[in-house]
Amino acid sequence: QVQLVESGGGLVQPGESLRLSCAASGFSYDYSAIGWFRQAPGKEREGVSCISRSDGHTYYAASVKGRFTIARDNVKNLVYLQMNSLKPEDTAVYYCAADSDYYCSDDGLWETDFTSWGQGTQVTVSS
């Protein structure tokens, strides 16, 4: 079972940037993909971005494409989410998730595809 810990959340003003990190550990299996999800109060949890460990294939939700960038360091088992040009509607709790046999595609990103989850980190975008 992979263990995940998010960090890097905080309070920023619209137009500013924030970088989230997801640290993965554990020896039961190697994760095949890391996904980033977010959930705002009263709303469904939505998929934001995904990266496959083997070939680095990435997915971005339409709402963040061009503003967010996902990257990974396979040696350190770290995945980053660089968030630029942040908007108030980006305010949410951000979660990273891992799975052992899922691979990122362009079809979408659903929470049911992932088996391991972090505790989340709060991102607030407000002036």
Side-chain angles (χ1 to χ4, degrees):
Q1 182 75 31
V2 63
Q3 301 173 47
L4 305 173
V5 179
E6 303 98 332
S7 62
L11 173 64
V12 296
Q13 296 183 354
E16 293 297 312
S17 298
L18 206 58
R19 187 196 193 197
L20 304 183
S21 298
C22 178
S25 63
F27 303 98
S28 298
Y29 60 89
D30 293 329
Y31 64 87
S32 60
I34 293 287
W36 282 100
F37 294 78
R38 67 186 182 186
Q39 187 167 24
K43 295 185 178 180
E44 295 287 321
R45 187 173 298 182
E46 63 173 338
V48 175
S49 186
C50 183
I51 186 166
S52 296
R53 187 178 186 180
S54 59
D55 61 4
H57 184 79
T58 58
Y59 162 86
Y60 297 96
S63 59
V64 306
K65 190 173 296 183
R67 299 188 297 120
F68 290 11
T69 303
I70 191 169
R72 89 279 196 231
D73 185 332
N74 287 341
V75 176
K76 297 181 178 180
N77 286 329
L78 290 174
V79 175
Y80 307 99
L81 185 66
Q82 178 67 43
M83 305 183 294
N84 298 326
S85 302
L86 283 163
K87 305 175 180 179
E89 50 262 45
D90 295 318
T91 296
V93 177
Y94 283 71
Y95 302 87
C96 65
D99 194 78
S100 62
D101 56 12
Y102 177 78
Y103 294 90
C104 305
S105 74
D106 297 328
D107 297 331
L109 184 62
W110 313 104
E111 61 179 311
T112 53
D113 292 325
F114 294 86
T115 56
S116 299
W117 292 80
Q119 293 298 309
T121 185
Q122 177 71 48
V123 172
T124 302
V125 185
S126 177
S127 60

PDB file of all heavy atoms in Angstrom, residues 66-94:
ATOM      1  N   GLY A  66      -3.185  24.693 -19.513  1.00  0.00           N
ATOM      2  CA  GLY A  66      -2.486  25.921 -19.832  1.00  0.00           C
ATOM      3  C   GLY A  66      -2.045  26.711 -18.623  1.00  0.00           C
ATOM      4  O   GLY A  66      -1.208  27.618 -18.744  1.00  0.00           O
ATOM      5  N   ARG A  67      -2.593  26.397 -17.448  1.00  0.00           N
ATOM      6  CA  ARG A  67      -2.225  27.079 -16.212  1.00  0.00           C
ATOM      7  C   ARG A  67      -1.477  26.172 -15.239  1.00  0.00           C
ATOM      8  O   ARG A  67      -0.590  26.637 -14.528  1.00  0.00           O
ATOM      9  CB  ARG A  67      -3.466  27.643 -15.516  1.00  0.00           C
ATOM     10  CG  ARG A  67      -4.223  28.672 -16.338  1.00  0.00           C
ATOM     11  CD  ARG A  67      -5.322  29.335 -15.512  1.00  0.00           C
ATOM     12  NE  ARG A  67      -6.336  28.381 -15.067  1.00  0.00           N
ATOM     13  CZ  ARG A  67      -6.628  28.135 -13.793  1.00  0.00           C
ATOM     14  NH1 ARG A  67      -5.988  28.776 -12.831  1.00  0.00           N
ATOM     15  NH2 ARG A  67      -7.575  27.257 -13.483  1.00  0.00           N
ATOM     16  N   PHE A  68      -1.843  24.889 -15.208  1.00  0.00           N
ATOM     17  CA  PHE A  68      -1.237  23.932 -14.290  1.00  0.00           C
ATOM     18  C   PHE A  68      -0.286  23.014 -15.049  1.00  0.00           C
ATOM     19  O   PHE A  68      -0.526  22.672 -16.215  1.00  0.00           O
ATOM     20  CB  PHE A  68      -2.301  23.069 -13.606  1.00  0.00           C
ATOM     21  CG  PHE A  68      -3.165  23.792 -12.607  1.00  0.00           C
ATOM     22  CD1 PHE A  68      -3.152  25.172 -12.500  1.00  0.00           C
ATOM     23  CD2 PHE A  68      -4.007  23.072 -11.768  1.00  0.00           C
ATOM     24  CE1 PHE A  68      -3.952  25.835 -11.583  1.00  0.00           C
ATOM     25  CE2 PHE A  68      -4.810  23.719 -10.845  1.00  0.00           C
ATOM     26  CZ  PHE A  68      -4.790  25.098 -10.749  1.00  0.00           C
ATOM     27  N   THR A  69       0.779  22.588 -14.386  1.00  0.00           N
ATOM     28  CA  THR A  69       1.736  21.651 -14.955  1.00  0.00           C
ATOM     29  C   THR A  69       2.067  20.581 -13.926  1.00  0.00           C
ATOM     30  O   THR A  69       2.397  20.899 -12.784  1.00  0.00           O
ATOM     31  CB  THR A  69       3.028  22.361 -15.400  1.00  0.00           C
ATOM     32  OG1 THR A  69       2.717  23.388 -16.348  1.00  0.00           O
ATOM     33  CG2 THR A  69       3.985  21.355 -16.046  1.00  0.00           C
ATOM     34  N   ILE A  70       1.981  19.315 -14.330  1.00  0.00           N
ATOM     35  CA  ILE A  70       2.321  18.209 -13.454  1.00  0.00           C
ATOM     36  C   ILE A  70       3.669  17.633 -13.885  1.00  0.00           C
ATOM     37  O   ILE A  70       3.975  17.562 -15.074  1.00  0.00           O
ATOM     38  CB  ILE A  70       1.213  17.126 -13.460  1.00  0.00           C
ATOM     39  CG1 ILE A  70       1.440  16.102 -12.350  1.00  0.00           C
ATOM     40  CG2 ILE A  70       1.114  16.444 -14.820  1.00  0.00           C
ATOM     41  CD1 ILE A  70       0.251  15.166 -12.132  1.00  0.00           C
ATOM     42  N   ALA A  71       4.486  17.240 -12.912  1.00  0.00           N
ATOM     43  CA  ALA A  71       5.792  16.662 -13.184  1.00  0.00           C
ATOM     44  C   ALA A  71       6.128  15.650 -12.100  1.00  0.00           C
ATOM     45  O   ALA A  71       5.567  15.700 -11.001  1.00  0.00           O
ATOM     46  CB  ALA A  71       6.871  17.744 -13.264  1.00  0.00           C
ATOM     47  N   ARG A  72       7.047  14.739 -12.424  1.00  0.00           N
ATOM     48  CA  ARG A  72       7.399  13.711 -11.442  1.00  0.00           C
ATOM     49  C   ARG A  72       8.899  13.490 -11.382  1.00  0.00           C
ATOM     50  O   ARG A  72       9.624  13.734 -12.341  1.00  0.00           O
ATOM     51  CB  ARG A  72       6.684  12.388 -11.737  1.00  0.00           C
ATOM     52  CG  ARG A  72       7.412  11.422 -12.684  1.00  0.00           C
ATOM     53  CD  ARG A  72       7.221  11.793 -14.121  1.00  0.00           C
ATOM     54  NE  ARG A  72       7.582  10.710 -15.028  1.00  0.00           N
ATOM     55  CZ  ARG A  72       8.394  10.850 -16.063  1.00  0.00           C
ATOM     56  NH1 ARG A  72       8.947  12.042 -16.322  1.00  0.00           N
ATOM     57  NH2 ARG A  72       8.652   9.818 -16.855  1.00  0.00           N
ATOM     58  N   ASP A  73       9.345  13.026 -10.228  1.00  0.00           N
ATOM     59  CA  ASP A  73      10.711  12.604  -9.996  1.00  0.00           C
ATOM     60  C   ASP A  73      10.630  11.156  -9.535  1.00  0.00           C
ATOM     61  O   ASP A  73      10.313  10.887  -8.374  1.00  0.00           O
ATOM     62  CB  ASP A  73      11.381  13.489  -8.945  1.00  0.00           C
ATOM     63  CG  ASP A  73      12.847  13.159  -8.744  1.00  0.00           C
ATOM     64  OD1 ASP A  73      13.251  11.999  -8.960  1.00  0.00           O
ATOM     65  OD2 ASP A  73      13.604  14.061  -8.357  1.00  0.00           O
ATOM     66  N   ASN A  74      10.893  10.223 -10.431  1.00  0.00           N
ATOM     67  CA  ASN A  74      10.735   8.807 -10.118  1.00  0.00           C
ATOM     68  C   ASN A  74      11.749   8.311  -9.085  1.00  0.00           C
ATOM     69  O   ASN A  74      11.479   7.365  -8.349  1.00  0.00           O
ATOM     70  CB  ASN A  74      10.847   7.959 -11.387  1.00  0.00           C
ATOM     71  CG  ASN A  74       9.634   8.082 -12.285  1.00  0.00           C
ATOM     72  OD1 ASN A  74       8.561   8.504 -11.847  1.00  0.00           O
ATOM     73  ND2 ASN A  74       9.786   7.711 -13.545  1.00  0.00           N
ATOM     74  N   VAL A  75      12.920   8.938  -9.035  1.00  0.00           N
ATOM     75  CA  VAL A  75      13.936   8.524  -8.078  1.00  0.00           C
ATOM     76  C   VAL A  75      13.505   8.862  -6.658  1.00  0.00           C
ATOM     77  O   VAL A  75      13.633   8.052  -5.741  1.00  0.00           O
ATOM     78  CB  VAL A  75      15.294   9.165  -8.410  1.00  0.00           C
ATOM     79  CG1 VAL A  75      16.322   8.814  -7.340  1.00  0.00           C
ATOM     80  CG2 VAL A  75      15.774   8.715  -9.776  1.00  0.00           C
ATOM     81  N   LYS A  76      12.999  10.059  -6.466  1.00  0.00           N
ATOM     82  CA  LYS A  76      12.572  10.515  -5.149  1.00  0.00           C
ATOM     83  C   LYS A  76      11.113  10.184  -4.838  1.00  0.00           C
ATOM     84  O   LYS A  76      10.651  10.459  -3.730  1.00  0.00           O
ATOM     85  CB  LYS A  76      12.787  12.019  -5.017  1.00  0.00           C
ATOM     86  CG  LYS A  76      14.244  12.441  -5.109  1.00  0.00           C
ATOM     87  CD  LYS A  76      14.388  13.945  -4.935  1.00  0.00           C
ATOM     88  CE  LYS A  76      15.840  14.370  -4.979  1.00  0.00           C
ATOM     89  NZ  LYS A  76      15.985  15.842  -4.809  1.00  0.00           N
ATOM     90  N   ASN A  77      10.395   9.625  -5.809  1.00  0.00           N
ATOM     91  CA  ASN A  77       8.974   9.333  -5.646  1.00  0.00           C
ATOM     92  C   ASN A  77       8.186  10.583  -5.259  1.00  0.00           C
ATOM     93  O   ASN A  77       7.382  10.572  -4.323  1.00  0.00           O
ATOM     94  CB  ASN A  77       8.755   8.217  -4.627  1.00  0.00           C
ATOM     95  CG  ASN A  77       9.124   6.853  -5.166  1.00  0.00           C
ATOM     96  OD1 ASN A  77       9.003   6.588  -6.364  1.00  0.00           O
ATOM     97  ND2 ASN A  77       9.572   5.964  -4.283  1.00  0.00           N
ATOM     98  N   LEU A  78       8.424  11.651  -5.996  1.00  0.00           N
ATOM     99  CA  LEU A  78       7.738  12.912  -5.788  1.00  0.00           C
ATOM    100  C   LEU A  78       6.986  13.307  -7.049  1.00  0.00           C
ATOM    101  O   LEU A  78       7.479  13.112  -8.162  1.00  0.00           O
ATOM    102  CB  LEU A  78       8.720  14.023  -5.426  1.00  0.00           C
ATOM    103  CG  LEU A  78       9.395  13.959  -4.054  1.00  0.00           C
ATOM    104  CD1 LEU A  78      10.445  15.054  -3.951  1.00  0.00           C
ATOM    105  CD2 LEU A  78       8.367  14.110  -2.947  1.00  0.00           C
ATOM    106  N   VAL A  79       5.807  13.846  -6.875  1.00  0.00           N
ATOM    107  CA  VAL A  79       5.021  14.403  -7.962  1.00  0.00           C
ATOM    108  C   VAL A  79       4.650  15.828  -7.591  1.00  0.00           C
ATOM    109  O   VAL A  79       4.210  16.088  -6.468  1.00  0.00           O
ATOM    110  CB  VAL A  79       3.765  13.567  -8.255  1.00  0.00           C
ATOM    111  CG1 VAL A  79       2.910  14.242  -9.319  1.00  0.00           C
ATOM    112  CG2 VAL A  79       4.149  12.172  -8.716  1.00  0.00           C
ATOM    113  N   TYR A  80       4.818  16.738  -8.537  1.00  0.00           N
ATOM    114  CA  TYR A  80       4.558  18.148  -8.303  1.00  0.00           C
ATOM    115  C   TYR A  80       3.388  18.620  -9.150  1.00  0.00           C
ATOM    116  O   TYR A  80       3.154  18.126 -10.253  1.00  0.00           O
ATOM    117  CB  TYR A  80       5.788  18.994  -8.652  1.00  0.00           C
ATOM    118  CG  TYR A  80       7.061  18.546  -7.981  1.00  0.00           C
ATOM    119  CD1 TYR A  80       7.981  17.758  -8.655  1.00  0.00           C
ATOM    120  CD2 TYR A  80       7.339  18.914  -6.676  1.00  0.00           C
ATOM    121  CE1 TYR A  80       9.150  17.347  -8.042  1.00  0.00           C
ATOM    122  CE2 TYR A  80       8.499  18.504  -6.053  1.00  0.00           C
ATOM    123  CZ  TYR A  80       9.405  17.728  -6.736  1.00  0.00           C
ATOM    124  OH  TYR A  80      10.568  17.323  -6.122  1.00  0.00           O
ATOM    125  N   LEU A  81       2.673  19.590  -8.633  1.00  0.00           N
ATOM    126  CA  LEU A  81       1.647  20.278  -9.396  1.00  0.00           C
ATOM    127  C   LEU A  81       1.932  21.771  -9.309  1.00  0.00           C
ATOM    128  O   LEU A  81       1.708  22.389  -8.260  1.00  0.00           O
ATOM    129  CB  LEU A  81       0.242  19.969  -8.869  1.00  0.00           C
ATOM    130  CG  LEU A  81      -0.910  20.563  -9.687  1.00  0.00           C
ATOM    131  CD1 LEU A  81      -0.960  19.922 -11.074  1.00  0.00           C
ATOM    132  CD2 LEU A  81      -2.236  20.388  -8.968  1.00  0.00           C
ATOM    133  N   GLN A  82       2.461  22.329 -10.393  1.00  0.00           N
ATOM    134  CA  GLN A  82       2.727  23.756 -10.471  1.00  0.00           C
ATOM    135  C   GLN A  82       1.468  24.455 -10.945  1.00  0.00           C
ATOM    136  O   GLN A  82       0.973  24.175 -12.042  1.00  0.00           O
ATOM    137  CB  GLN A  82       3.890  24.035 -11.431  1.00  0.00           C
ATOM    138  CG  GLN A  82       4.219  25.510 -11.606  1.00  0.00           C
ATOM    139  CD  GLN A  82       4.779  26.136 -10.349  1.00  0.00           C
ATOM    140  OE1 GLN A  82       5.611  25.544  -9.673  1.00  0.00           O
ATOM    141  NE2 GLN A  82       4.308  27.333 -10.026  1.00  0.00           N
ATOM    142  N   MET A  83       0.951  25.358 -10.138  1.00  0.00           N
ATOM    143  CA  MET A  83      -0.291  26.048 -10.425  1.00  0.00           C
ATOM    144  C   MET A  83       0.002  27.526 -10.634  1.00  0.00           C
ATOM    145  O   MET A  83       0.407  28.222  -9.703  1.00  0.00           O
ATOM    146  CB  MET A  83      -1.301  25.854  -9.289  1.00  0.00           C
ATOM    147  CG  MET A  83      -1.573  24.390  -8.962  1.00  0.00           C
ATOM    148  SD  MET A  83      -2.840  24.180  -7.682  1.00  0.00           S
ATOM    149  CE  MET A  83      -1.988  24.910  -6.277  1.00  0.00           C
ATOM    150  N   ASN A  84      -0.201  27.993 -11.865  1.00  0.00           N
ATOM    151  CA  ASN A  84       0.023  29.385 -12.217  1.00  0.00           C
ATOM    152  C   ASN A  84      -1.294  30.074 -12.537  1.00  0.00           C
ATOM    153  O   ASN A  84      -2.305  29.426 -12.808  1.00  0.00           O
ATOM    154  CB  ASN A  84       0.962  29.488 -13.423  1.00  0.00           C
ATOM    155  CG  ASN A  84       2.335  28.915 -13.167  1.00  0.00           C
ATOM    156  OD1 ASN A  84       2.855  29.003 -12.060  1.00  0.00           O
ATOM    157  ND2 ASN A  84       2.943  28.336 -14.204  1.00  0.00           N
ATOM    158  N   SER A  85      -1.276  31.398 -12.516  1.00  0.00           N
ATOM    159  CA  SER A  85      -2.460  32.201 -12.835  1.00  0.00           C
ATOM    160  C   SER A  85      -3.681  31.730 -12.068  1.00  0.00           C
ATOM    161  O   SER A  85      -4.766  31.533 -12.619  1.00  0.00           O
ATOM    162  CB  SER A  85      -2.730  32.172 -14.346  1.00  0.00           C
ATOM    163  OG  SER A  85      -1.623  32.660 -15.073  1.00  0.00           O
ATOM    164  N   LEU A  86      -3.523  31.555 -10.775  1.00  0.00           N
ATOM    165  CA  LEU A  86      -4.592  31.006  -9.947  1.00  0.00           C
ATOM    166  C   LEU A  86      -5.800  31.937  -9.904  1.00  0.00           C
ATOM    167  O   LEU A  86      -5.668  33.163  -9.891  1.00  0.00           O
ATOM    168  CB  LEU A  86      -4.079  30.736  -8.542  1.00  0.00           C
ATOM    169  CG  LEU A  86      -3.218  29.474  -8.419  1.00  0.00           C
ATOM    170  CD1 LEU A  86      -2.419  29.484  -7.131  1.00  0.00           C
ATOM    171  CD2 LEU A  86      -4.097  28.231  -8.501  1.00  0.00           C
ATOM    172  N   LYS A  87      -6.974  31.319  -9.866  1.00  0.00           N
ATOM    173  CA  LYS A  87      -8.246  32.020  -9.828  1.00  0.00           C
ATOM    174  C   LYS A  87      -8.997  31.658  -8.555  1.00  0.00           C
ATOM    175  O   LYS A  87      -8.756  30.596  -7.973  1.00  0.00           O
ATOM    176  CB  LYS A  87      -9.101  31.641 -11.045  1.00  0.00           C
ATOM    177  CG  LYS A  87      -8.432  31.867 -12.389  1.00  0.00           C
ATOM    178  CD  LYS A  87      -9.300  31.344 -13.519  1.00  0.00           C
ATOM    179  CE  LYS A  87      -8.648  31.548 -14.869  1.00  0.00           C
ATOM    180  NZ  LYS A  87      -9.491  31.025 -15.974  1.00  0.00           N
ATOM    181  N   PRO A  88      -9.928  32.505  -8.111  1.00  0.00           N
ATOM    182  CA  PRO A  88     -10.711  32.158  -6.923  1.00  0.00           C
ATOM    183  C   PRO A  88     -11.420  30.808  -7.043  1.00  0.00           C
ATOM    184  O   PRO A  88     -11.564  30.108  -6.035  1.00  0.00           O
ATOM    185  CB  PRO A  88     -11.713  33.308  -6.819  1.00  0.00           C
ATOM    186  CG  PRO A  88     -10.999  34.467  -7.427  1.00  0.00           C
ATOM    187  CD  PRO A  88     -10.204  33.878  -8.566  1.00  0.00           C
ATOM    188  N   GLU A  89     -11.848  30.432  -8.240  1.00  0.00           N
ATOM    189  CA  GLU A  89     -12.522  29.160  -8.423  1.00  0.00           C
ATOM    190  C   GLU A  89     -11.602  27.955  -8.282  1.00  0.00           C
ATOM    191  O   GLU A  89     -12.063  26.815  -8.283  1.00  0.00           O
ATOM    192  CB  GLU A  89     -13.247  29.106  -9.780  1.00  0.00           C
ATOM    193  CG  GLU A  89     -12.372  29.514 -10.949  1.00  0.00           C
ATOM    194  CD  GLU A  89     -12.576  30.960 -11.358  1.00  0.00           C
ATOM    195  OE1 GLU A  89     -12.638  31.833 -10.471  1.00  0.00           O
ATOM    196  OE2 GLU A  89     -12.682  31.223 -12.579  1.00  0.00           O
ATOM    197  N   ASP A  90     -10.295  28.185  -8.168  1.00  0.00           N
ATOM    198  CA  ASP A  90      -9.355  27.109  -7.878  1.00  0.00           C
ATOM    199  C   ASP A  90      -9.310  26.764  -6.393  1.00  0.00           C
ATOM    200  O   ASP A  90      -8.659  25.783  -6.013  1.00  0.00           O
ATOM    201  CB  ASP A  90      -7.947  27.476  -8.352  1.00  0.00           C
ATOM    202  CG  ASP A  90      -7.848  27.626  -9.859  1.00  0.00           C
ATOM    203  OD1 ASP A  90      -8.435  26.795 -10.580  1.00  0.00           O
ATOM    204  OD2 ASP A  90      -7.166  28.571 -10.321  1.00  0.00           O
ATOM    205  N   THR A  91      -9.971  27.550  -5.566  1.00  0.00           N
ATOM    206  CA  THR A  91      -9.981  27.311  -4.131  1.00  0.00           C
ATOM    207  C   THR A  91     -10.622  25.959  -3.820  1.00  0.00           C
ATOM    208  O   THR A  91     -11.752  25.683  -4.227  1.00  0.00           O
ATOM    209  CB  THR A  91     -10.738  28.425  -3.401  1.00  0.00           C
ATOM    210  OG1 THR A  91     -10.055  29.671  -3.584  1.00  0.00           O
ATOM    211  CG2 THR A  91     -10.829  28.129  -1.908  1.00  0.00           C
ATOM    212  N   ALA A  92      -9.893  25.108  -3.113  1.00  0.00           N
ATOM    213  CA  ALA A  92     -10.369  23.766  -2.795  1.00  0.00           C
ATOM    214  C   ALA A  92      -9.330  23.064  -1.940  1.00  0.00           C
ATOM    215  O   ALA A  92      -8.211  23.553  -1.769  1.00  0.00           O
ATOM    216  CB  ALA A  92     -10.619  22.957  -4.075  1.00  0.00           C
ATOM    217  N   VAL A  93      -9.716  21.915  -1.407  1.00  0.00           N
ATOM    218  CA  VAL A  93      -8.755  20.995  -0.828  1.00  0.00           C
ATOM    219  C   VAL A  93      -8.224  20.125  -1.955  1.00  0.00           C
ATOM    220  O   VAL A  93      -9.005  19.512  -2.687  1.00  0.00           O
ATOM    221  CB  VAL A  93      -9.378  20.130   0.282  1.00  0.00           C
ATOM    222  CG1 VAL A  93      -8.361  19.131   0.810  1.00  0.00           C
ATOM    223  CG2 VAL A  93      -9.891  21.006   1.415  1.00  0.00           C
ATOM    224  N   TYR A  94      -6.922  20.068  -2.092  1.00  0.00           N
ATOM    225  CA  TYR A  94      -6.288  19.302  -3.157  1.00  0.00           C
ATOM    226  C   TYR A  94      -5.729  17.997  -2.601  1.00  0.00           C
ATOM    227  O   TYR A  94      -5.031  17.985  -1.585  1.00  0.00           O
ATOM    228  CB  TYR A  94      -5.172  20.110  -3.813  1.00  0.00           C
ATOM    229  CG  TYR A  94      -5.679  21.162  -4.770  1.00  0.00           C
ATOM    230  CD1 TYR A  94      -6.329  22.299  -4.291  1.00  0.00           C
ATOM    231  CD2 TYR A  94      -5.524  21.016  -6.148  1.00  0.00           C
ATOM    232  CE1 TYR A  94      -6.816  23.260  -5.165  1.00  0.00           C
ATOM    233  CE2 TYR A  94      -6.006  21.974  -7.020  1.00  0.00           C
ATOM    234  CZ  TYR A  94      -6.648  23.093  -6.532  1.00  0.00           C
ATOM    235  OH  TYR A  94      -7.119  24.043  -7.406  1.00  0.00           O
TER     236      TYR A  94
END
